[in-house]
Amino acid sequence: MPALEIAQLRKQFGPTVALDGVDVQLERGRVHALVGENGAGKSTLVKVLAGELRPDAGEVRREGRPYAPGSPLEARRHGVALIHQEPTLCPHLTVAENLVLGRETARWGWLNLEAQKEQAEQALRLFDHPELRPGRRLGELSISARQIVDICRVLAEPSEIVLMDEPTSALQRSDVRRLFQLIRELVEAGRSVLYISHFLEEVREVADTVTVLRDGRDVLSGPLEEIDDRRLITAMVGRPVENLYPPRPPVTRRAEALLEVEGLAHPPWVESAAFRIFRGEVFGIAGLAGSGRTALVRALFGLEKPRGGRLRLSGRSQDLSRPRPADRIAAGLGYLSEDRAGEGLAVALSIADNLTLTRPSSCSRAGWLDLRRQREQAAGWVRRLGIKAASVLQPVRTLSGGNQQKVALGRLLHQEAEVLLLDEPTRGVDIGSKVQIYRVIADLVAKGKSVLLVSSYLPELFGMCDRLAVMGRGRLSRARPVSEWTPESVLAAALGQVSP
């Protein structure tokens, strides 16, 4: 008997049909992958199963019995737990407090702090991560460490069915390997996993069967070993995708340097960084989580104050001792944060507000917004980027993760930035949307703009970059043409095993 049977499940949000008669069957002791483009209905489906949403129609059966949880707590009582794509934790609480949230140990009405610490330490043993200590405040951790806390919180519970929505999108490869080992242990114990991912290589490594969703419908399902990648991608996007990375002509070294960085130091994260980015170039930075990549980019944009160094934008010096993002924006610098939900977007505001946020002058007059003009400009970007939304007035928080990422990128395009700092621009984005983002980047550099691309995904760096530097232990290596790097040499540089 299947662990979970989903039959003709339907869910609609206003005019948007998120699920349109989905059928999925999850067998006991198996890993079933759920793949598809952003907005295909994957996250909506697992939120229904986790009790966060109620379906409009259809049936779900758990071990042959009707299953319709009214809340996440009720779902967990039925042995179903969800690891979210974006960690749903409390940044003001400690790691230990987040790990036991909702299942605290109390005695005579008082929290048992010793038992709480013991529970937390036991959960954290699932991952050997240097950042994770029970008493540390969650908001101080990196995105990847927060994701691990969320994973530990769920896996520490005795859930029979674990739903995983993009659990590896913020993780380093070593943490991904550990998670896959834990998944195999779950399966060996007879538990079941419904696994969502945009990385087909991960899906093949961990899953037994697969279902492809497109526009709220299941369009392909079966054993993974019987379905090749070409067929999967075609089912996901509705057409064959021949070239993931667009071809581009090489950049001449005689081109103008739009961004010049010398002796940048921002201890303890960045010990030393120096590089130049030329007009029409995609410059990549690789490195492990915590290596200082994000701190470097934030210092360049004026979000953090470095201890020393020099920065020139389009030939003009910028004052690093007085960090002001507004000054960087005025100088032609744009920034896409790796923390999309936390600081990359104003999720409570509309798509139109977010797209025009850093250049409101394009749709204002005498200090007053021209709302009609703002809507028209936003609609143009929605069409160009293929953002799936009912209206430009729709709050960003109602969009799928991939469509939120397109809004964040669209803001930089509308800003008309000359140099774009992109920190993990395709995290949590489906293959079809990745192709769109790569083409946008290629169009930008073809028009003479420059891109600094920070990514944990090596195929993306090798496919898109002209030159590549590696961040290792706070030091940035010498930049070399991407053809002179290999995955092995990148890893060695990231671990500090070769001289920069």
Side-chain angles (χ1 to χ4, degrees):
M1 180 181 297
L4 204 64
E5 294 177 274
I6 303 164
Q8 289 298 296
L9 204 64
R10 298 178 185 275
K11 181 64 181 179
Q12 189 166 341
F13 301 96
T16 303
V17 179
L19 299 174
D20 191 13
V22 172
D23 296 321
V24 178
Q25 189 165 291
L26 176 62
E27 299 293 338
R28 175 184 286 276
R30 306 281 279 180
V31 180
H32 191 108
L34 201 60
V35 300
E37 290 192 282
N38 292 114
K42 307 182 301 297
S43 294
T44 301
L45 176 60
V46 294
K47 285 179 180 178
V48 168
L49 299 178
E52 296 183 12
L53 295 172
R54 289 181 179 271
D56 298 327
E59 183 183 26
V60 181
R61 299 185 73 83
R62 168 92 167 83
E63 302 286 356
R65 298 178 180 178
Y67 170 73
S71 68
L73 181 60
E74 187 178 346
R76 285 160 62 183
R77 286 172 178 163
H78 282 85
V80 180
L82 169 61
I83 298 172
H84 291 80
Q85 180 180 357
E86 302 286 348
T88 54
L89 303 173
C90 301
H92 63 288
L93 298 180
T94 66
V95 169
E97 288 166 341
N98 274 281
L99 285 168
V100 302
L101 200 61
R103 54 189 184 92
E104 296 88 346
T105 302
R107 187 177 184 185
W108 298 318
W110 292 87
L111 288 176
N112 189 333
L113 298 181
E114 195 61 37
Q116 177 175 290
K117 182 182 178 182
E118 187 176 333
Q119 281 180 274
E121 289 176 343
Q122 184 176 351
L124 291 176
R125 290 191 194 108
L126 294 171
F127 279 84
D128 182 19
H129 198 282
E131 280 191 77
L132 299 182
R133 299 190 301 273
R136 191 169 180 186
R137 201 164 299 281
L138 190 83
E140 300 172 355
L141 303 180
S142 65
I143 296 295
S144 60
R146 289 182 228 173
Q147 184 70 27
I148 290 173
V149 172
D150 203 21
I151 292 171
C152 290
R153 181 178 61 86
V154 171
L155 295 188
E157 298 180 5
S159 304
E160 291 297 316
I161 296 175
V162 182
L163 314 171
M164 300 187 177
D165 190 358
E166 294 284 348
T168 67
S169 61
L171 302 186
Q172 293 297 314
R173 187 59 199 171
S174 58
D175 293 324
V176 172
R177 286 195 294 269
R178 176 56 183 155
L179 175 62
F180 287 176
Q181 181 182 342
L182 291 171
I183 290 175
R184 294 185 187 101
E185 292 173 6
L186 292 176
V187 169
E188 289 172 2
R191 297 158 78 176
S192 307
V193 176
L194 187 61
Y195 186 88
I196 295 176
S197 179
H198 292 307
F199 297 106
L200 295 186
E201 63 270 27
E202 287 187 6
V203 167
R204 291 203 175 277
E205 186 175 347
V206 75
D208 306 297
T209 54
V210 64
T211 292
V212 179
L213 295 187
R214 187 173 76 237
D215 297 328
R217 296 173 176 267
D218 54 294
V219 296
L220 179 65
S221 190
L224 260 172
E225 61 185 15
E226 299 176 6
I227 307 173
D228 61 25
D229 283 353
R230 184 183 181 88
R231 189 178 169 199
L232 276 176
I233 294 171
T234 300
M236 289 164 63
V237 303
R239 65 188 186 284
V241 175
E242 300 296 338
N243 298 311
L244 188 59
Y245 305 105
R248 295 189 299 106
V251 177
T252 172
R253 291 284 80 80
R254 285 177 285 182
E256 173 191 3
L258 289 186
L259 179 67
E260 299 174 84
V261 178
E262 296 179 12
L264 182 69
H266 185 28
W269 304 281
V270 182
E271 294 298 327
S272 176
F275 60 93
R276 291 190 297 171
I277 303 179
F278 298 97
R279 185 179 292 277
E281 180 180 35
V282 179
F283 183 95
I285 294 183
L288 303 176
S291 63
R293 299 172 310 171
T294 295
L296 169 62
V297 176
R298 290 174 64 83
L300 293 178
F301 192 64
L303 290 169
E304 296 180 9
K305 181 181 177 179
R307 180 175 295 176
R310 285 176 288 182
L311 170 66
R312 290 174 65 85
L313 279 170
S314 301
R316 296 184 177 182
S317 295
Q318 300 292 312
D319 188 355
L320 289 175
S321 65
R322 298 178 60 189
R324 276 172 47 90
D327 292 341
R328 303 291 191 269
I329 291 172
L333 199 61
Y335 172 56
L336 183 72
S337 172
E338 67 166 349
D339 187 0
R340 178 175 62 222
E343 65 179 19
L345 293 164
V347 295
L349 299 183
S350 70
I351 295 170
D353 287 334
N354 274 274
L355 285 168
T356 59
L357 198 59
T358 49
R359 188 174 157 240
S361 60
S362 67
C363 50
S364 63
R365 184 179 303 169
W368 292 85
L369 273 179
D370 184 335
L371 296 179
R372 179 185 59 80
R373 193 174 179 185
Q374 183 195 46
R375 288 193 294 267
E376 289 173 354
Q377 292 177 356
W381 291 116
V382 166
R383 287 192 298 271
R384 178 178 171 182
L385 296 172
I387 299 169
K388 294 182 180 179
S391 164
V392 296
L393 301 180
Q394 186 174 336
V396 166
R397 66 167 175 261
T398 63
L399 301 179
S400 67
N403 283 300
Q404 288 183 5
Q405 190 75 342
K406 290 181 186 179
V407 172
L409 181 60
R411 175 175 53 79
L412 299 193
L413 302 182
H414 181 77
Q415 181 186 319
E416 297 183 344
E418 285 296 304
V419 180
L420 290 80
L421 311 176
L422 306 182
D423 195 354
E424 302 286 3
T426 63
R427 174 176 290 166
V429 172
D430 62 78
I431 289 177
S433 297
K434 282 182 180 179
V435 171
Q436 288 179 299
I437 290 174
Y438 295 149
R439 287 175 181 168
V440 167
I441 292 173
D443 288 343
L444 287 170
V445 295
K447 293 174 181 176
K449 299 181 185 296
S450 301
V451 172
L452 173 61
L453 177 61
V454 175
S455 179
S456 302
Y457 189 46
L458 282 184
E460 179 172 87
L461 291 170
F462 281 103
M464 288 300 299
C465 296
D466 298 290
R467 289 185 301 142
L468 181 65
V470 181
M471 203 77 181
R473 298 182 180 179
R475 303 183 69 87
L476 188 67
S477 75
R478 180 175 62 87
R480 305 205 302 262
V482 74
S483 59
E484 297 181 10
W485 290 96
T486 65
E488 292 77 17
S489 65
V490 169
L491 180 59
L495 294 173
Q497 296 177 355
V498 295
S499 60

